[in-house]
């Protein structure tokens, strides 16, 4: 499975700094083509589509006190997603209906990053 807007195959470094908004809340961390589901604690959220499990509070099961506990082998979506680029494209009319599924915290962070750019 590929997700719209993710530069699968041409991953660029996304500088998240200390931001963990994608790791918190109810954002779905979907495994895509190139991810090996056997490497992750995941579940099938739709037929043939896997996502990383979340804790009861919505945080990613791999989110630790200092950030991602599996950084370096984290899923492709975590390596490729750029909230600022997503918001830019969403505002241009792409991703119809996908934005609200990300959650307000991620969208707000993307807008903040766009203003700084």
């Amino acid at each position: 499975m590929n997700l719209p807007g993710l530069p699968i195959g041409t991953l660029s470094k996304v500088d998240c700094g200390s931001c963990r908004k994608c790791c918190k809340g109810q954002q779905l961390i979907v495994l895509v083509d190139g991810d090996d589901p056997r490497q992750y604690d995941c579940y099938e959220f739709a037929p043939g589509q896997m996502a990383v499990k979340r804790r009861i509070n919505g945080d990613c099961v791999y989110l630790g006190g200092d950030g991602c506990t599996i950084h370096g082998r984290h899923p492709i979506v975590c390596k490729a997603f750029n909230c600022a680029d997503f918001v830019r494209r969403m505002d241009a009319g792409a991703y119809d209906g996908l934005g609200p599924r990300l959650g307000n915290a991620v969208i707000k962070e993307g807008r903040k990053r766009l203003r700084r750019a």
Side-chain angles (χ1 to χ4, degrees), residues 4-5 86-102:
F86 182 88
V87 167
R88 181 183 307 112
R89 292 174 186 223
M90 184 181 71
D91 288 348
Y95 316 133
D96 185 36
L98 187 57
R101 287 192 244 161
L102 280 174

Side-chain angles (χ1 to χ4, degrees), residues 54-66:
R54 307 296 258 185
R55 294 187 183 108
I56 291 172
N57 69 356
D59 291 356
C60 174
V61 295
Y62 297 111
L63 180 61
D66 294 325

Side-chain angles (χ1 to χ4, degrees), residues 31-104:
L31 301 183
V32 297
D33 299 335
D35 283 322
D36 181 357
R38 297 171 297 182
Q39 289 187 10
Y40 306 104
D41 191 3
C42 57
Y43 68 99
E44 189 173 41
F45 71 94
Q49 298 178 331
M50 306 298 286
V52 174
K53 287 184 178 177
R54 307 296 258 185
R55 294 187 183 108
I56 291 172
N57 69 356
D59 291 356
C60 174
V61 295
Y62 297 111
L63 180 61
D66 294 325
C68 182
T69 61
I70 61 167
H71 191 75
R73 68 173 189 90
H74 50 301
I76 291 172
V77 70
C78 300
K79 296 173 184 172
F81 183 75
N82 181 318
C83 60
D85 187 49
F86 182 88
V87 167
R88 181 183 307 112
R89 292 174 186 223
M90 184 181 71
D91 288 348
Y95 316 133
D96 185 36
L98 187 57
R101 287 192 244 161
L102 280 174
N104 287 334

